[in-house]
């Protein structure tokens, strides 16, 4: 019997599985789809996510698929510069989400169980029984990472307050049979409120548009080549000719968040816990950070050495971060509305963002570099994660009893770094208190 079941084999579910496995747990990932998706989906890895993937040795497999290293991100397509961020990776990686998921899945010990849609969840004091693909699976815990339309969330009746979409956008992967003379296929930071066009591998292009036609059409109306042609011409002028539409979808700015990320023995992560306008890859990156925050805490709880309240600190730390992203994406949606008053507000906001301090604040927020939690003193910039999910103590002697949970390394500037990369001690008195607070009581050392 696995220690943990995970519903959903997107990047959030897969990275959660990776974190649990490297901490020594047995995990089974249940995925509804019969085969991995080929849709590109999100296209950007923000700096904090790049740090996390690099520290875990996952970035190398993604490298061949990187389309661009962009100098920044954007706030409703208003460019935000990252070059001054305190990070080894002060840029956004342009890469399709499908390659991120594949790189993580390739490192799992246990293959993903596909064609296994969850249809029932029953939990008791000892564990969780999940029916998926017509079979029952039992584990101590379930992580629901099954997306914005989470079946697990519905089955549990978990409150998911927020609001429905008020604006409509279209996203499509397509080919072009014609381009204007002199047009160069290259990745650029978006600069127009109404959308953008980006080149993908294999002659494909990603088009995202928000225009008056998109607001008129119903959410269930099919996206036609004619609509995309009109939108592309309005966005970039004549000369573009849409060829094959590989996939297309309408989406909106619905904004919802679970009241609690833990429901008994079920924990929620990624889009199952929060949905918002998918702008700037925020959903992908938010989910990856959920995974690395939850993974080590759940592993410690299962292994029996977690201090009281550690597992619940997952909700306490990550819920406010997602709530802030929901505020940010709602604001960005307003700035993208094709309306003269919204254009006027956008002009004012663009000027405010140009103010250095405001620009730095947004860069830290959107990149994930500025995210911090109560009781921590920020990220560790140059302390790679361990291979087995332990914390790291740099430049200090580890007291007896924590070696199974903390790895020691030489170095200047003493630091105690959680497995997710956040510093909880910076030298001086209080090391043993910090160890007990985050990693439980010391083991009894014989002899």
């Amino acid at each position: 019997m696995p220690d943990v079941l995970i519903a959903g084999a997107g990047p959030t579910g897969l990275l959660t599985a990776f974190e649990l496995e490297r901490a020594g747990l047995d995990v089974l990932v249940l995925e509804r789809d019969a085969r991995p998706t080929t849709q590109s989906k999100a296209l950007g890895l923000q700096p904090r996510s790049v740090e996390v993937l690099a520290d875990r040795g996952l970035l190398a497999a993604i490298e061949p698929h990187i389309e661009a290293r962009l100098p920044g991100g954007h706030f409703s397509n208003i460019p935000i510069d990252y070059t001054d961020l305190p990070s080894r990776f002060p840029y956004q990686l342009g890469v399709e989400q499908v390659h991120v998921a594949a790189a993580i899945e390739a490192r799992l010990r246990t293959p993903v169980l596909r064609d296994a849609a969850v249809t029932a969840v029953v939990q008791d004091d000892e564990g969780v029984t999940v029916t998926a693909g017509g079979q029952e699976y039992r584990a101590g815990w379930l992580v629901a990472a099954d997306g914005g339309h989470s079946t697990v969330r519905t089955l549990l009746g978990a409150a998911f307050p927020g609001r429905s979409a008020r604006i409509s956008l279209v996203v499509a992967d397509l080919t072009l049979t014609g381009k204007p003379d002199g047009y160069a296929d290259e990745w650029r930071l978006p600069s127009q409120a109404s959308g953008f066009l980006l080149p993908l591998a294999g002659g494909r292009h990603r088009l995202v548009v928000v225009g008056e036609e998109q607001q008129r059409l119903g959410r269930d109306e099919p996206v036609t080549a004619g609509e995309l042609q009109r939108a592309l011409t309005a966005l970039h002028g004549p000369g573009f000719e849409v060829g094959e539409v590989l996939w297309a979808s309408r989406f909106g700015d619905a904004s919802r968040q679970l009241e609690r990320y833990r429901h008994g023995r079920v924990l929620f992560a990624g889009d199952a816990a929060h949905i918002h306008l998918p702008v700037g890859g925020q959903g992908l990156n938010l989910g990856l950070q959920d995974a690395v925050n939850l993974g080590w805490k759940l592993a410690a709880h299962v292994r029996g050495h977690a201090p009281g309240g550690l597992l619940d600190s997952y909700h306490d730390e990550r819920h406010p971060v997602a709530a802030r992203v929901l505020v940010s994406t709602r604001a960005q949606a307003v700035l993208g509305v094709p309306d003269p008053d919204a254009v006027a507000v956008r002009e004012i906001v663009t000027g405010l963002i140009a103010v250095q301090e405001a620009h730095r604040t947004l860069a830290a927020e959107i990149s994930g570099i500025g995210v911090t939690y109560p009781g921590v003193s920020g990220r560790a910039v140059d302390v790679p994660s361990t291979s087995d999910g332990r914390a790291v103590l740099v430049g200090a002697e580890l007291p007896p009893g924590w070696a199974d949970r903390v790895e020691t390394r030489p170095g200047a500037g003493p630091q105690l770094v959680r497995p997710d990369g956040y510093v909880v001690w910076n030298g001086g008195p209080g090391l043993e208190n910090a160890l007990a607070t985050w990693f439980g009581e010391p083991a009894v050392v014989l002899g």
Side-chain angles (χ1 to χ4, degrees):
M1 183 179 82
D3 298 302
V4 180
L5 296 170
I6 295 177
T12 299
L14 293 170
L15 188 57
T16 304
F18 178 86
E19 294 291 283
L20 294 170
E21 283 193 349
R22 75 190 188 114
L25 270 59
D26 291 325
V27 179
L28 179 60
V29 180
L30 306 170
E31 168 54 39
R32 174 192 60 195
D33 294 338
R35 58 187 59 86
T37 181
T38 59
Q39 294 182 358
S40 53
K41 296 193 175 181
L43 297 180
L45 284 174
Q46 299 291 350
R48 180 59 188 144
S49 295
V50 180
E51 289 180 347
V52 165
L53 295 171
D55 286 347
R56 285 152 179 76
L58 294 167
L59 188 58
I62 298 170
E63 287 276 356
H65 305 286
I66 293 173
E67 301 280 352
R69 287 172 171 79
L70 299 171
H74 66 89
F75 186 84
S76 190
N77 293 358
I78 302 169
I80 303 293
D81 181 41
Y82 287 168
T83 55
D84 290 334
L85 287 174
S87 172
R88 293 166 289 154
F89 306 97
Y91 45 76
Q92 180 184 176
L93 291 183
V95 61
E96 298 177 32
Q97 175 177 311
V98 64
H99 299 306
V100 176
I104 303 170
E105 184 175 349
R107 292 282 299 277
L108 297 183
R109 293 197 305 264
T110 303
V112 172
L113 184 62
R114 297 189 178 276
D115 201 14
V118 173
T119 55
V121 175
V122 178
Q123 55 178 320
D124 52 46
D125 291 342
E126 302 299 323
V128 184
T129 301
V130 174
T131 303
Q135 301 292 320
E136 285 191 353
Y137 302 91
R138 177 77 175 173
W141 296 85
L142 168 65
V143 175
D146 53 340
H149 299 286
S150 170
T151 298
V152 176
R153 190 180 64 223
T154 300
L155 289 170
L156 294 187
F160 197 47
R163 65 162 177 77
S164 300
R166 295 188 296 186
I167 66 170
S168 181
L169 301 87
V170 164
V171 59
D173 283 0
L174 48 80
T175 63
L176 296 175
T177 56
K179 290 178 284 188
D181 292 340
Y183 177 80
D185 272 339
E186 61 182 9
W187 279 62
R188 310 172 182 86
L189 286 174
S191 59
Q192 300 182 60
S194 52
F196 59 85
L197 178 71
L198 291 176
L200 303 176
R204 298 168 299 140
H205 286 74
R206 162 65 60 83
L207 177 64
V208 176
V209 291
V210 50
E212 293 180 0
E213 183 175 4
Q214 284 68 56
Q215 310 319 307
R216 291 196 305 270
L217 296 174
R219 184 68 185 273
D220 296 328
E221 288 286 331
V223 180
T224 65
E227 179 187 351
L228 296 175
Q229 180 66 68
R230 290 187 293 275
L232 184 54
T233 301
L235 187 64
H236 286 300
F240 291 94
E241 294 181 13
V242 172
E244 182 182 3
V245 180
L246 303 172
W247 71 273
S249 178
R250 298 188 192 278
F251 62 93
D253 64 333
S255 180
R256 297 183 181 278
Q257 185 177 22
L258 280 175
E259 293 179 344
R260 296 292 305 176
Y261 284 8
R262 178 181 175 184
H263 288 250
R265 288 180 170 267
V266 180
L267 297 121
F268 289 84
D271 291 348
H274 39 70
I275 61 170
H276 53 82
L277 179 71
V279 59
Q282 289 295 304
L284 167 62
N285 292 273
L286 191 60
L288 292 175
Q289 301 307 316
D290 284 350
V292 297
N293 188 287
L294 172 60
W296 71 276
K297 294 173 180 178
L298 181 53
H301 192 90
V302 171
R303 293 172 63 188
H305 58 67
L310 181 68
L311 186 57
D312 287 330
S313 75
Y314 164 63
H315 167 89
D316 296 338
E317 292 186 345
R318 293 304 299 169
H319 192 278
V321 174
R324 177 60 183 173
V325 170
L326 265 62
V327 169
S328 174
T329 52
R330 288 201 303 269
Q332 293 182 66
V334 170
L335 295 180
V337 172
D339 175 88
D341 289 342
V343 172
V345 175
R346 183 182 182 87
E347 181 177 341
I348 298 297
V349 171
T350 300
L352 292 173
I353 288 176
V355 177
Q356 188 177 58
E357 191 59 33
H359 196 101
R360 287 177 176 171
T361 298
L362 277 178
E365 182 174 307
I366 295 171
S367 67
I369 295 299
V371 171
T372 189
Y373 308 117
V376 308
S377 55
R379 317 166 1 268
V381 178
D382 290 308
V383 183
S385 178
T386 64
S387 61
D388 57 5
R390 286 184 293 169
V392 178
L393 178 63
V394 180
E397 182 177 350
L398 181 67
W402 280 286
D404 61 330
R405 286 157 269 170
V406 182
E407 176 183 294
T408 58
R409 295 178 189 168
Q415 286 185 319
L416 177 60
V417 184
R418 300 189 331 187
D420 59 349
Y422 289 88
V423 179
V424 293
W425 176 78
N426 278 303
L431 174 57
E432 291 196 31
N433 181 63
L435 287 164
T437 296
W438 293 104
F439 310 115
E441 293 301 316
V444 177
V445 180
L446 300 177

